[in-house]
Amino acid sequence: MLPRVSSLIPPCEPARLQALQPYRSLRVAPDAVFSALADLVSRLFDVPLVLLTLVDEEHTSIKASYGVTQHTIPRQQSLCALTILQDAILIVEDLDQEPATVLDFAFVRSLHMRFYAGYPLPTSAGYNIGALCLLDSHPRTLSSPEQHRLQLLARLTSQLLELRLHLQQRQPVPSPDWTSLYDALHTALLQLDESDAQLRHIRTAGWAASLYQHKIQQRADTIVYTLQRQITALQARLLS
């Protein structure tokens, strides 16, 4: 359910925009690491659309996405602009059932999306500069484990943004360290392909649906925690 707010501008907006300022340069060009991350998130949650966004004064910039080619959204049409107002997950199970708010649903309705889940992306100082979000074309919800997984992925995204900014300031050309993160994400996608084949075998063998779902959740958690260890280790080495 959408929170009832009178404005999309948080009280800390001047400080938030100041915290966003160094990251504005990251919006300029596509980045294979963030694109691979969006692809992975789409696979982990089985959704057709994923957005990794940065929210400025008037627009929401799409740093990376899966399922859409648009690069900017007016802030007034961005559910991410609503997500950054809080420090927890925002879930809207069916946008068609939501009453009129300060938000304009033109963007999501143009894509025929009905479900939304997003988690804010805070800087190390605690300012929410964007969001990692999922959208689907039919009403649904997220289980508690899925909500926790989205939270972890949002934290990883914040870490990646900080790392990318640090490496860009040191060296504009992507470094071997940054390339290693793409390799890690690509490996995770290959692991998903392999486990998908195994899970199809389990399903066709007549295993119980609950066990099948458990295996899916277990696979997703393993991938996320592996990435978390890799990214955290690189962050500690480069930013210490």
Side-chain angles (χ1 to χ4, degrees), residues 140-160:
R140 58 178 288 186
T141 189
L142 293 182
S143 65
S144 293
E146 287 175 322
Q147 291 181 39
H148 180 62
R149 190 177 307 125
L150 181 59
Q151 179 183 4
L152 287 178
L153 285 163
R155 289 176 181 172
L156 292 182
T157 303
S158 291
Q159 288 178 285
L160 285 173

Side-chain angles (χ1 to χ4, degrees), residues 182-200:
Y182 174 79
D183 293 339
L185 287 162
H186 182 65
T187 298
L189 287 166
L190 291 177
Q191 290 172 345
L192 275 179
D193 289 337
E194 293 174 0
S195 59
D196 280 347
Q198 295 170 355
L199 288 171
R200 282 194 297 271

Side-chain angles (χ1 to χ4, degrees), residues 29-202:
D31 190 301
V33 169
F34 292 111
S35 296
L37 177 63
D39 191 353
L40 178 64
V41 172
S42 171
R43 295 279 301 277
L44 289 174
F45 291 91
D46 191 24
V47 292
L49 201 155
V50 171
L51 301 176
L52 191 171
T53 65
L54 299 172
V55 181
D56 65 23
E57 297 94 330
E58 297 182 356
H59 298 92
T60 293
S61 299
I62 301 174
K63 172 58 187 171
S65 65
Y66 179 87
V68 68
T69 57
Q70 196 162 336
H71 298 298
T72 59
I73 312 166
R75 186 168 178 172
Q76 199 69 25
Q77 296 181 15
S78 170
L79 282 158
C80 297
L82 198 58
T83 304
I84 67 169
L85 300 181
Q86 57 189 46
D87 296 322
I89 193 169
L90 173 62
I91 297 177
V92 187
E93 296 183 0
D94 189 354
L95 288 162
D96 284 358
Q97 302 302 314
E98 291 294 326
T101 67
V102 295
L103 197 67
D104 180 354
F105 287 164
F107 173 70
V108 291
R109 285 180 174 156
S110 71
L111 298 171
H112 308 289
M113 294 292 118
R114 294 181 65 178
F115 166 80
Y116 173 89
Y119 204 92
L121 303 176
T123 64
S124 57
Y127 294 105
N128 295 334
I129 59 172
L132 176 65
C133 58
L134 324 169
L135 293 104
D136 207 341
S137 57
H138 57 82
R140 58 178 288 186
T141 189
L142 293 182
S143 65
S144 293
E146 287 175 322
Q147 291 181 39
H148 180 62
R149 190 177 307 125
L150 181 59
Q151 179 183 4
L152 287 178
L153 285 163
R155 289 176 181 172
L156 292 182
T157 303
S158 291
Q159 288 178 285
L160 285 173
L161 286 168
E162 185 178 8
L163 276 171
R164 187 69 190 96
L165 182 63
H166 175 76
L167 290 171
Q168 179 174 275
Q169 291 170 342
R170 285 176 42 186
Q171 181 181 1
V173 178
S175 68
D177 291 313
W178 190 247
T179 302
S180 73
L181 292 175
Y182 174 79
D183 293 339
L185 287 162
H186 182 65
T187 298
L189 287 166
L190 291 177
Q191 290 172 345
L192 275 179
D193 289 337
E194 293 174 0
S195 59
D196 280 347
Q198 295 170 355
L199 288 171
R200 282 194 297 271
H201 174 72
I202 289 174

